[in-house]
Amino acid sequence: MNTSIQTSSGKKSTDNHVIITTDASKFDTSLFDKSELSFIANEVKKNNSLIPVNQGNRKVFLHVIDPFANEHKTREAFRKAGNDLAARINGLHLSSITISPSVEPDLTLAYAEGICLGNYQFLKYKSNKKRNSLKKVSIADKRISKKMATDLGHICDAVCRARDLVNEPLNGLNAVKLASAYKSMGKEAGFKVTVFDKKKIQSLKMGGLLAVNKGSIDPPTFTVMEYKPAKARNKRPYILVGKGVVYDTGGLSLKPTPNSMDYMKSDMGGAAAVGAMIYAVAKMKLPVHVIALVPATDNRPDGNAYVPGDVIKMYNGSTVEVLNTDAEGRMILADALHHAKKFKPEAVFEFSTLTGAAANAIGKYGVVCMGDVSDDLRSGLMDAGNRSYERLVEFPYWDEYDELLQSDIADIKNIGGPVGGAITAGRFLSNFTDYPYMHFDIAGPAFSKSKDSYRGKNGTGVGVRLMCDFFRSV
């Protein structure tokens, strides 16, 4: 992340400032003289919400942000307002800003979050790197501790790392390089990383992962990441599983290129998210034992690729009839979900850009989820989704949908037909679990084809803030 967040003890005369408030008649006026306050009053009458005041060697802004009756929508409005300020700051080529709030601390932190995430750039492959000028965000509020600001910085950094991974093209990030990126993150944040190579994967007989990899010249990887602090609150680990299809052509069930295959470097959005989640948890030193599992490969139609009609023996010993090679994510996730059993988990949370059906159902506005976790866990996840505004929409998880996955020649087939596609994908995966499990289909919000406020364009890092909020509260 190219933006730091810190606390500030005062109001230096040379610092650029933004005063944030929900009421244009109630804010700290100490930074303005009478003529400036008169100017601000006139701007407010014009319904201008972000008002800049030029004070020679610095800029001071007043940002009036309308609240909502719903506290979660208000917090989201502050994130979006922070994104708007970031654009203004970069337009003025300013390098720093100090937030002087006339609002509650949670809204101030949301505003700073919007600034930092809105300031994200992916410039690795640009020859002419027009970098944003903003480098530092300070918060002048005694109610906000240094740790609160530092932890927010870790979360924003993790989101940006997830975005970086998603935005990398295949020639910059295959399965082996993804595993290497996790090793670097583990070394930096202090969590253990173990990578299974193809020989190890073959010895374990991870049939789903190996089948999808058959069409690739690059080997698969299976990465196990573990953060286990000395005084973890949970006796059994929470496990994160992420779909790591680093590029998806659809295999022999080939995707069309426009508005489909051309965005498929993002099909490892779940893998990027879970790696970033455990990175943030470790950086914040949260007292939770977390393990992340990522099966990774690309899905290509080479001469030896698996084909529709093949029957694959999976890691758990069951057989799957493949009727569509573009339903590959569930094949590799199935092996990871079976592997999770060895850890006797408290619960397993799996993130994947799994189905167009989920994206078509609710678009970019939320995350489709389904599963059989306890009411307490479900409530905690829903609350975290609302607070982070990575909202969850729970789909049915009824076993009647299993009828659509019945195969004539194998234990199950890998697609369920034209109806309930998001649900049958989740039900397929349930065959490989024996623990509390929640499936998150992030196909809609994981990659944005146009600028979406502080979520940006391209990889969004969706899921990271959701689970960071959850792990901070369990």
Side-chain angles (χ1 to χ4, degrees), residues 196-441:
F196 299 168
D197 60 14
K198 186 173 183 178
K199 185 176 180 180
K200 175 69 171 179
I201 293 167
Q202 288 172 327
S203 71
L204 292 172
K205 299 181 181 179
M206 291 184 170
L209 178 54
L210 290 167
V212 177
N213 181 250
K214 283 181 68 177
S216 176
I217 61 172
D218 295 328
T221 59
F222 189 96
T223 303
V224 181
M225 296 167 267
E226 182 172 20
Y227 172 70
K228 188 177 183 180
K231 297 181 179 180
R233 289 193 294 253
N234 49 320
K235 294 182 179 179
R236 296 187 296 169
Y238 292 109
I239 296 186
L240 303 166
V241 176
K243 174 185 170 182
V245 177
V246 291
Y247 191 83
D248 182 21
T249 68
L252 288 176
S253 303
L254 198 66
K255 295 176 181 288
T257 296
N259 297 309
S260 182
M261 198 195 301
D262 46 349
Y263 296 106
M264 282 301 104
K265 68 179 184 179
S266 67
D267 210 19
M268 38 64 68
V274 301
M277 290 170 198
I278 197 169
Y279 173 86
V281 167
K283 291 290 281 187
M284 290 188 286
K285 301 187 185 323
L286 297 182
V288 286
H289 181 195
V290 181
I291 296 171
L293 308 177
V294 175
T297 180
D298 55 290
N299 181 28
R300 297 208 218 195
D302 190 50
N304 200 39
Y306 77 137
V307 304
D310 276 356
V311 175
I312 306 300
K313 188 172 184 179
M314 305 295 284
Y315 184 21
N316 74 340
S318 68
T319 56
V320 174
E321 181 186 11
V322 175
L323 295 182
N324 190 322
T325 63
D326 195 23
E328 85 298 329
R330 64 199 71 183
M331 299 293 289
I332 72 172
L333 289 169
D335 287 346
L337 292 173
H338 179 65
H339 191 74
K341 295 175 184 176
K342 68 175 289 187
F343 301 106
K344 296 179 172 55
E346 182 73 24
V348 174
F349 309 117
E350 169 263 311
F351 289 78
S352 53
T353 50
L354 203 61
T355 67
N360 290 335
I362 64 172
K364 67 178 183 179
Y365 303 102
V367 173
V368 167
C369 70
M370 64 195 80
D372 56 3
V373 297
S374 68
D375 288 342
D376 284 346
L377 275 183
R378 178 178 282 101
S379 177
L381 290 164
M382 290 293 176
D383 289 345
N386 288 330
R387 285 191 297 265
S388 63
Y389 226 68
E390 295 188 338
R391 295 168 295 179
L392 303 177
V393 179
E394 188 168 13
F395 276 23
Y397 196 59
W398 304 326
D399 57 12
E400 284 86 352
Y401 284 96
D402 293 346
E403 300 170 3
L404 302 176
L405 293 168
Q406 293 177 1
S407 167
D408 291 335
I409 64 170
D411 294 324
I412 54 173
K413 56 186 179 181
N414 78 329
I415 57 172
V419 299
I423 299 170
T424 53
R427 289 304 305 175
F428 175 91
L429 293 172
S430 73
N431 285 273
F432 304 88
T433 68
D434 64 358
Y435 40 69
Y437 165 62
M438 186 67 89
H439 161 58
F440 299 86
D441 193 329

Side-chain angles (χ1 to χ4, degrees), residues 64-302:
V64 184
I65 305 159
D66 292 333
F68 290 84
N70 182 304
E71 63 177 320
H72 305 309
K73 287 182 72 69
T74 298
R75 198 176 294 114
E76 179 71 354
F78 271 74
R79 294 188 191 99
K80 290 182 175 181
N83 171 75
D84 293 341
L85 180 75
R88 184 71 68 91
I89 290 172
N90 287 312
L92 294 170
H93 307 293
L94 306 179
S95 62
S96 65
I97 191 72
T98 296
I99 304 171
S100 299
S102 293
V103 295
E104 292 302 307
D106 67 318
L107 297 180
T108 302
L109 291 170
Y111 189 82
E113 182 179 33
I115 294 173
C116 291
L117 294 179
N119 200 44
Y120 170 82
Q121 292 179 291
F122 184 74
L123 300 174
K124 179 178 177 180
Y125 298 101
K126 288 280 191 180
S127 299
N128 184 14
K129 301 183 191 298
K130 296 181 179 179
R131 299 188 185 278
N132 288 338
S133 60
L134 179 61
K135 302 299 180 188
K136 183 174 72 173
V137 176
S138 301
I139 302 174
D141 187 338
K142 293 180 180 179
R143 298 170 297 175
I144 294 177
S145 67
K146 181 179 179 180
K147 178 168 175 52
M148 292 166 70
T150 300
D151 282 355
L152 177 60
H154 290 323
I155 294 170
C156 290
D157 181 31
V159 173
C160 292
R161 286 171 182 265
R163 291 176 179 179
D164 282 347
L165 291 174
V166 172
N167 290 334
E168 278 282 357
L170 176 61
N171 63 346
L173 192 80
N174 60 15
V176 173
K177 291 178 180 177
L178 177 62
S180 180
Y182 292 141
K183 286 183 178 179
S184 297
M185 292 165 68
K187 186 175 182 180
E188 180 181 341
F191 59 86
K192 182 181 178 182
V193 180
T194 304
V195 179
F196 299 168
D197 60 14
K198 186 173 183 178
K199 185 176 180 180
K200 175 69 171 179
I201 293 167
Q202 288 172 327
S203 71
L204 292 172
K205 299 181 181 179
M206 291 184 170
L209 178 54
L210 290 167
V212 177
N213 181 250
K214 283 181 68 177
S216 176
I217 61 172
D218 295 328
T221 59
F222 189 96
T223 303
V224 181
M225 296 167 267
E226 182 172 20
Y227 172 70
K228 188 177 183 180
K231 297 181 179 180
R233 289 193 294 253
N234 49 320
K235 294 182 179 179
R236 296 187 296 169
Y238 292 109
I239 296 186
L240 303 166
V241 176
K243 174 185 170 182
V245 177
V246 291
Y247 191 83
D248 182 21
T249 68
L252 288 176
S253 303
L254 198 66
K255 295 176 181 288
T257 296
N259 297 309
S260 182
M261 198 195 301
D262 46 349
Y263 296 106
M264 282 301 104
K265 68 179 184 179
S266 67
D267 210 19
M268 38 64 68
V274 301
M277 290 170 198
I278 197 169
Y279 173 86
V281 167
K283 291 290 281 187
M284 290 188 286
K285 301 187 185 323
L286 297 182
V288 286
H289 181 195
V290 181
I291 296 171
L293 308 177
V294 175
T297 180
D298 55 290
N299 181 28
R300 297 208 218 195
D302 190 50

